[in-house]
């Protein structure tokens, strides 16, 4: 036991000496000083500082036994063999430090660890490329040939080198030298002849700026040569030369992976590592997600069948059985909604709404027995068109062409029309019983779900159609992602299904929702449309992450079937739901967050505007306030749910 204690004592007394020598505080060994005061060893390659056991600096009075023990410790440290992973980490750190200009630190790290940042031939090659010594760089390629896995890599790398050489000659006005490179060096490679033809065209450039613009090239100098080196490194094995900025790439991938695995991540993706902390794992709180009722809109006096945010996210349109459409204005700061105008006169009620691409117009459709649709100017509140082709029609769905000048409409009685803004019939498709419609971004293809439990694509220009989706049960409604790749279907008795329209395959079936034969409209939402939300006949709103089948949130508050959900396209944390209970609920983040999530009194912050408060009352179980203009009581539970109004 005593011998162990003595050994520990000797080790602790000797190691600081090694550290002090490494830090350049004092040393009696023979060796040269680095410019930053660090000491290098004398040609024995064993490490930095003294390696012969002689005393160093403040430990010069140490006994011979202690010195011998220190030598044993040093030799043990030197004999330890690094694993491949440890060597890789050291090289990654060294490359990053080199990029920061800490070259002496890199030298010290490599000497002490016994690692090599890159192969000596690769180091020469790097220097010759950055200095523009192209002949020497070509000779270096011959040394690197034996280290490459692909025999064709040399030709490709030589082509890139000669291309840079050619462009630099042209920029310097050395046309004859550039022509010699083109004819005598690039062309004989017999590689990428198309590119050689393009390069030959640069001979006609009248000045350097014209050359840089046409070649999309930074010009002679460090920037273009660094970019060239990045391309050249891709052909070299990582054991010879690390890929450019490899540590930065790995850290960025790690951050992206954590974001992808975060169930509630709902903010704009930023690939800049400066925007995140590398010291903590990425975690988004459920309190930051639109799971909490922020507002209840009660202005409708009957069932609310549909709701839809405008494309710019500044307005919300709601349609009801009470024959009205209400346009709501979204406050950009508080995200509170205020009634903007009411559009009246829809005798059968409003079951579907569609905003024009520029949000100037809004089309309203009715239920199955409605043969009319209304086209409103939202900005003026004026009815531009009231369209009806026949009293026998059923116009229950509508979709805008991307040009904003045409729309398609149809219903389950076999009507399928394409019309202009004045309601004039442009084209029609006979015998298609339409349940729901969507226009793709190509401006030609219209997707329509029909009574045959399928979605077909119709082209009004060449009058062709094709089957895209086939379900085993009726498709009550569907919507398409912004990129046109995915379709979200509400299928009778089955729930919510996600289809890939390009591959024509069922991607996922989402669980939890109660879907019978009522028409329920789901939606994509959140940043990058990573989330899916749907109403349900069990009075709830369900939210899923697009990649998971189980819901990540079940929102309660409605007392009857939730017919429609709309996610704000401009504000990822804002969502609306319409229900047969006659209300529209606005969902957002928790009304107050803990101290790690927001600043405020006792770690809690109430994001309400001043005019909302009259006489706040705080109890142990709820927070209540009164809106002064209407004297309406609003009560939140401590979990942030709007309890009463």
């Amino acid at each position: 036991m005593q011998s162990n204690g003595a050994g520990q004592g000797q080790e602790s007394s000797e190691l600081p000496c090694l550290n002090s020598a490494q830090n350049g505080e004092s040393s009696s060994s023979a060796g040269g000083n680095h410019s930053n005061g660090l000491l290098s060893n004398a040609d024995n390659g064993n490490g930095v500082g003294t390696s012969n056991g002689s005393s160093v600096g403040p430990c010069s009075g140490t006994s011979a036994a202690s010195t011998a023990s220190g030598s044993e410790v040093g030799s043990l440290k030197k004999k330890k063999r690094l694993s491949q992973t440890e060597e890789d980490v050291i090289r990654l750190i060294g490359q990053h430090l080199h990029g920061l200009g800490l070259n002496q630190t890199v030298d010290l790290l490599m000497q002490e660890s016994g690692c090599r940042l890159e192969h000596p031939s690769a180091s020469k090659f790097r220097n010759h490329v950055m200095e523009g010594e192209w002949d020497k760089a070509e000779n270096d390629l011959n040394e690197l040939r034996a280290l490459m896995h692909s025999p064709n890599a040399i030709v490709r790398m030589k082509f890139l080198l000669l291309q840079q050489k050619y462009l630099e000659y042209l920029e310097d006005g050395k046309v004859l030298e550039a022509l010699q490179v083109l004819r005598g060096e690039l062309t004989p490679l017999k590689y990428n002849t198309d590119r050689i033809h393009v390069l030959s065209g640069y001979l006609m450039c009248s000045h350097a700026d014209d050359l840089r613009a046409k070649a999309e090239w930074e010009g002679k100098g460090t920037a273009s040569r660094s970019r060239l080196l990045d391309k050249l490194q891709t052909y070299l094995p990582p054991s010879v030369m690390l890929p450019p900025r490899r540590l930065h790439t790995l850290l960025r991938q790690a951050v992206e992976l954590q974001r992808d695995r975060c169930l509630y991540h709902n903010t704009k993706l930023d690939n800049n590592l400066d925007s995140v902390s590398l010291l903590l794992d990425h975690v988004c709180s459920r309190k930051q997600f639109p799971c909490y009722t922020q507002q209840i809109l009660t202005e409708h006096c009957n069932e609310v069948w549909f709701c839809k945010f405008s494309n710019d996210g500044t307005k919300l349109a709601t349609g009801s059985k009470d024959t009205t459409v209400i346009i709501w204005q979204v406050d950009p700061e508080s995200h509170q909604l205020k009634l903007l105008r009411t559009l009246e006169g829809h005798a059968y009620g409003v079951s579907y709404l569609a905003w024009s691409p520029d949000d100037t117009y809004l089309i309203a459709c009715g239920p199955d027995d409605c043969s009319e649709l209304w086209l409103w100017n939202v900005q003026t509140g004026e009815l531009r068109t009231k369209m009806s082709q026949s009293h026998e029609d059923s116009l229950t769905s509508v979709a805008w062409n991307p040009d904003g000048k045409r729309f398609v409409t149809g219903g389950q009685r076999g009507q399928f029309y394409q019309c202009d803004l004045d309601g004039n019939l442009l084209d029609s498709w006979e015998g298609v019983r339409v349940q729901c419609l969507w226009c793709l971004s190509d401006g030609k293809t219209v997707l329509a779900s029909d009574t045959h439990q399928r979605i077909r694509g119709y082209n009004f220009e060449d009058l062709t159609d094709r089957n895209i989706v086939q379900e085993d049960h009726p498709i009550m409604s569907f919507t398409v992602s912004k990129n046109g790749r995915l379709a979200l279907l509400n299928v009778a008795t089955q729930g919510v299904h996600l289809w890939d329209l390009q591959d024509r395959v069922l991607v996922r079936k989402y669980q939890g929702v109660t879907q019978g034969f009522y028409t329920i409209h789901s939606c994509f939402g959140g940043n990058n449309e990573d989330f899916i939300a749907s109403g349900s006949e069990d009075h709830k709103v369900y939210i899923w992450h697009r990649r998971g089948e189980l819901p990540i949130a079940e929102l309660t508050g409605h007392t009857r079937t939730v017919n429609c959900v709309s996610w704000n396209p401009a504000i990822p944390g804002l969502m609306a739901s319409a229900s047969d209970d006659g209300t529209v609920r606005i969902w957002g983040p928790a009304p107050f967050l803990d101290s790690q999530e927001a600043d405020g009194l006792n770690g809690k912050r109430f994001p309400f505007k001043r005019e909302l408060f009259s006489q706040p009352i705080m109890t142990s179980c709820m927070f209540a306030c009164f809106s002064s203009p209407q004297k309406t009581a609003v009560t939140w539970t401590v979990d942030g749910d709007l309890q009463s109004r």
Side-chain angles (χ1 to χ4, degrees):
M1 294 296 292
Q2 289 180 348
S3 62
N4 290 337
Q8 292 174 357
Q10 292 167 355
E11 181 177 355
S12 62
S13 65
E14 184 66 27
L15 287 179
C17 300
L18 295 175
N19 290 335
S20 65
Q22 292 165 0
N23 291 331
E25 294 174 2
S26 63
S27 176
S28 60
S29 64
N33 283 307
H34 288 284
S35 60
N36 60 2
L38 296 174
L39 300 174
S40 61
N41 195 34
D43 296 331
N44 54 13
N46 291 327
V48 177
T50 58
S51 59
N52 56 5
S54 60
S55 59
V56 182
C59 299
S60 57
T62 308
S63 65
S66 176
T67 303
S69 177
S71 299
E72 290 181 10
V73 174
S75 63
L76 286 174
K77 290 175 69 66
K78 294 166 190 170
K79 288 179 181 179
K80 179 187 176 184
R81 182 174 180 82
L82 298 175
S83 67
Q84 184 62 52
T85 300
E86 291 170 333
E87 290 184 7
D88 291 346
V89 171
I90 289 174
R91 292 184 65 205
L92 291 172
I93 295 173
Q95 184 194 44
H96 184 71
L97 294 175
H98 178 76
L100 297 176
L102 304 177
N103 297 325
Q104 292 181 335
T105 304
V106 175
D107 293 340
L108 180 63
L109 175 63
M110 294 303 141
Q111 290 174 16
E112 188 171 1
S113 65
C115 296
R116 188 171 61 188
L117 182 59
E118 56 189 16
H119 195 279
S121 297
S123 298
K124 284 197 306 179
F125 180 64
R126 176 193 299 278
N127 293 334
H128 290 152
V129 169
M130 294 304 297
E131 292 169 6
E133 298 180 357
W134 307 117
D135 293 337
K136 293 181 180 180
E138 285 187 58
N139 293 332
D140 296 335
L141 286 180
N142 297 325
E143 297 181 22
L144 294 171
R145 184 188 299 270
L147 303 174
M148 296 183 186
H149 301 314
S150 173
N152 297 326
I154 287 290
V155 176
R156 297 171 184 169
M157 294 176 71
K158 190 172 183 179
F159 185 90
L160 292 172
L161 280 175
L162 293 174
Q163 178 180 249
Q164 178 78 12
K165 179 180 179 181
Y166 169 77
L167 292 173
E168 291 194 7
Y169 275 148
L170 281 181
E171 187 183 42
D172 290 339
K174 300 177 180 179
V175 179
L176 292 179
E177 289 85 346
L179 189 59
Q180 176 58 35
V181 172
L182 185 67
R183 291 179 176 177
E185 299 182 66
L186 277 168
T187 303
L189 290 177
K190 297 180 180 180
Y191 175 77
N192 202 349
T193 55
D194 291 340
R195 179 60 180 168
I196 290 177
H197 292 322
V198 174
L199 292 174
S200 63
Y202 298 154
L203 289 167
M204 306 303 295
C205 294
S206 57
H207 49 78
D209 292 338
D210 187 26
L211 170 67
R212 288 190 289 268
K214 289 184 176 180
E216 297 179 354
W217 179 60
E218 297 92 335
K220 179 180 178 179
T222 303
S224 63
R225 291 173 182 175
S226 296
R227 189 180 296 274
L228 169 65
L229 198 58
D230 289 347
K231 294 178 181 178
L232 293 169
Q233 282 179 303
T234 61
Y235 296 103
L236 294 171
S239 58
V240 177
M241 181 183 286
L242 287 173
R245 295 175 292 280
R246 183 59 182 163
L247 181 60
H248 183 277
T249 299
L250 291 174
L251 292 174
R252 180 172 50 78
Q253 291 174 350
V255 170
E256 290 175 357
L257 181 61
Q258 289 190 18
R259 285 173 173 170
D260 287 343
R261 292 181 175 179
C262 178
L263 286 180
Y264 300 107
H265 184 74
N266 191 28
T267 56
K268 184 177 181 180
L269 295 177
D270 188 350
N271 292 328
N272 186 2
L273 291 180
D274 293 335
S275 64
V276 298
S277 172
L278 299 177
L279 307 181
L280 297 172
D281 287 343
H282 174 84
V283 178
C284 290
S285 169
R286 187 179 187 272
K287 294 181 179 179
Q288 300 167 317
F289 203 68
C291 296
Y292 304 86
T293 302
Q294 288 190 339
Q295 200 174 357
I296 301 178
L297 310 179
T298 60
E299 278 71 7
H300 285 294
C301 57
N302 209 324
E303 298 173 357
V304 186
W305 288 340
F306 200 83
C307 63
K308 184 71 174 178
F309 280 104
S310 59
N311 298 295
D312 62 6
T314 62
K315 298 178 182 67
L316 174 71
T318 57
S320 171
K321 187 179 179 181
D322 66 6
T323 74
T324 67
V325 173
I326 298 181
I327 308 297
W328 308 84
Q329 186 72 45
V330 180
D331 187 288
E333 295 182 0
S334 68
H335 298 167
Q336 295 289 302
L337 275 69
K338 296 180 180 179
L339 193 151
L340 181 62
R341 60 173 45 92
T342 301
L343 310 176
E344 300 177 339
H346 309 85
Y348 295 90
V350 179
S351 62
Y352 195 84
L353 296 165
W355 291 89
S356 64
D358 62 358
D359 295 326
T360 300
Y361 298 106
L362 181 73
I363 297 180
C365 296
D368 291 343
D369 51 354
C370 180
S371 62
E372 301 172 330
L373 63 77
W374 293 260
L375 194 156
W376 295 91
N377 186 316
V378 179
Q379 297 175 353
T380 64
E382 297 177 352
L383 178 65
R384 170 162 179 169
T385 304
K386 182 178 180 181
M387 189 194 101
S388 177
Q389 295 295 325
S390 169
H391 293 294
E392 302 296 326
D393 286 352
S394 172
L395 304 181
T396 58
S397 185
V398 67
W400 284 90
N401 189 285
D403 64 12
K405 299 177 181 179
R406 297 169 288 163
F407 61 87
V408 291
T409 183
Q412 293 193 13
R413 296 180 184 175
Q415 295 77 38
F416 191 9
Y417 304 135
Q418 181 171 222
C419 307
D420 62 17
L421 296 183
D422 295 321
N424 298 317
L425 186 63
L426 301 178
D427 295 291
S428 65
W429 211 292
E430 298 295 333
V432 181
R433 299 180 182 274
V434 173
Q435 178 71 25
C436 192
L437 294 167
W438 192 275
C439 290
L440 294 184
S441 58
D442 62 7
K444 301 177 182 179
T445 306
V446 179
L447 302 182
S449 61
D450 56 30
T451 54
H452 296 285
Q453 305 168 4
R454 65 189 180 183
I455 295 177
R456 293 179 65 81
Y458 297 87
N459 190 315
F460 274 93
E461 291 188 1
D462 56 19
L463 298 180
T464 58
D465 61 320
R466 58 193 175 95
N467 203 47
I468 297 178
V469 170
Q470 182 66 60
E471 283 279 1
D472 296 328
H473 298 80
I475 301 172
M476 307 307 296
S477 70
F478 75 94
T479 187
V480 179
S481 61
K482 290 180 180 178
N483 61 12
R485 179 69 184 264
L486 301 174
L488 194 61
L489 283 61
N490 283 75
V491 184
T493 72
Q494 301 300 301
V496 181
H497 293 179
L498 182 68
W499 280 80
D500 187 313
L501 296 178
Q502 181 174 316
D503 296 336
R504 303 185 191 180
V505 295
L506 177 63
V507 177
R508 194 161 288 110
K509 296 181 179 180
Y510 297 101
Q511 302 178 21
V513 67
T514 302
Q515 170 80 61
F517 288 90
Y518 287 108
T519 299
I520 294 176
H521 300 272
S522 56
C523 69
F524 293 95
N527 192 70
N528 201 35
E529 292 191 325
D530 283 335
F531 303 98
I532 285 168
S534 177
S536 176
E537 293 181 20
D538 62 3
H539 314 163
K540 296 179 182 179
V541 175
Y542 287 84
I543 302 178
W544 301 267
H545 197 285
R546 200 171 66 190
R547 292 190 296 271
E549 296 181 357
L550 298 177
I552 62 173
E554 298 178 15
L555 312 186
T556 59
H558 287 294
T559 57
R560 293 182 65 187
T561 296
V562 180
N563 299 307
C564 184
V565 179
S566 179
W567 211 305
N568 192 299
I571 307 173
L574 195 64
M575 188 173 62
S577 59
S579 170
D580 282 347
D581 63 11
T583 67
V584 176
R585 283 187 174 244
I586 306 301
W587 307 88
F592 52 87
L593 305 174
D594 59 36
S595 57
Q596 294 181 347
E597 296 163 326
D599 297 325
L601 182 62
N602 296 326
K604 295 183 179 180
R605 174 171 59 88
F606 297 93
F608 308 124
K609 299 187 72 174
R610 273 195 217 88
E611 58 264 27
L612 186 63
F613 290 154
S614 177
Q615 294 178 344
I617 303 172
M618 177 69 78
T619 69
S620 61
C621 63
M622 66 178 63
F623 168 80
C625 68
F626 299 90
S627 59
S628 53
Q630 294 86 15
K631 299 297 182 184
T632 304
V634 185
T635 306
W636 281 268
T637 65
V638 291
D639 292 328
D641 291 323
L642 188 57
Q643 188 177 68
S644 62
R645 187 176 190 273

